[in-house]
Amino acid sequence: MRLLDKRTLVTGGSDGIGLAIAEAFLREGADVLIVGRDAGKLDAARQKLAALGRPSAVETSSADLATSLGVATVVEQVKETGRPLDILVNNAGVAYLVPFESVSEAQFQHSFALNVAAAFFLTQGLLPHFGAGASIINISSYFARKMIPKRPSSVYSLSKGALNSLTRSLAFELGPRGIRVNAIAPGTVDTAMRRKTVDNLPAEAKAELKAYVERSYPLGRIGRPDDLAGMAVYLASDEAAWTSGGIFAVDGGYTAG
Ligand SMILES: NC(=O)c1ccc[n+]([C@@H]2O[C@H](COP(=O)([O-])OP(=O)(O)OC[C@H]3O[C@@H](n4cnc5c(N)ncnc54)[C@H](OP(=O)(O)O)[C@@H]3O)[C@@H](O)[C@H]2O)c1
């Protein structure tokens, strides 16, 4: 077991990539605290994770991390248990894929509140509670470095670019305290988030996108949530003891071209 007795927190752990990471962490012997807004979704995820055989290793926290109250609630919950935190995965995110000229101020603020400020202030609030050799993993996106035709991404790309900068600057600043900070930049992954942005496209645009994906992913398919779990386990584990400040593409080869 590569994460035996490690205490981990996964934001957005009730669905998609975060849930797959939480599941992989549990299988490797870690305890997990998953955070999301919807209590029903959190409960379903808790049941799924508990069915792996260690129900007492699964905790949930219902909080909106796009608000400072939500961030404070999660910090308080970690603090209350009195046990140090070993691994933080800043995964919860939002994607507004809308044309530049129609990005609203509310969409801009929400993107930065969740994709950037939540990672920033959650990490800051938890800083006194990290154990020796802690690992922070930010879930970025290929959209920080590569765009897709007809998928306007200005505000999403900007926020994930900011998250990459945060990853590098914190690796530099927190390294002397023995804290490692890395990011994973997934390619397109089949989750509720992706379906939300694709389902309402007109049929022709959907077909075009499908054809684009098929010819652009060297490995021939988009990702599944558990495609991201191996890299997360590696970065969380002591095997990555000398790995910090990296932005690791896990994208079926998409950004290689
Ligand atoms: N899917 C992709 O193609 C893709 C590609 C590259 C990068 N990513 C990144 O990967 C991360 C996970 O995406 P995903 O596709 O797995 O998304 P997802 O399936 O939609 O899951 C999102 C998770 O985040 C939680 N969440 C959303 N807003 C929240 C908030 N304000 N406060 C707390 N929790 C919140 C959701 O639960 P509630 O709704 O109940 O809050 C859910 O657990 C995101 O950062 C995304 O940008 C995704």
Side-chain angles (χ1 to χ4, degrees), residues 11-18 35-38 41 63-66 91-94 110 114 139-142 156 160 186-194 196:
T11 73
S14 62
D15 207 355
I17 293 169
V35 184
R37 290 164 303 179
D38 182 323
K41 237 156 79 177
D64 182 351
L65 291 170
N91 164 77
V94 63
H110 188 215
L114 187 57
I139 304 300
S140 179
S141 171
Y142 65 97
Y156 184 57
K160 292 298 187 177
T188 297
V189 183
D190 187 22
T191 65
M193 173 188 275
R194 193 218 180 216
K196 216 184 294 170

Side-chain angles (χ1 to χ4, degrees), residues 202-212:
E204 197 186 322
K206 242 190 243 178
E208 225 176 281
L209 182 63
K210 186 168 177 287
Y212 174 81

Side-chain angles (χ1 to χ4, degrees), residues 225-236:
D226 60 5
D227 284 319
L228 280 305
M231 179 62 85
V233 168
Y234 167 70
L235 290 174

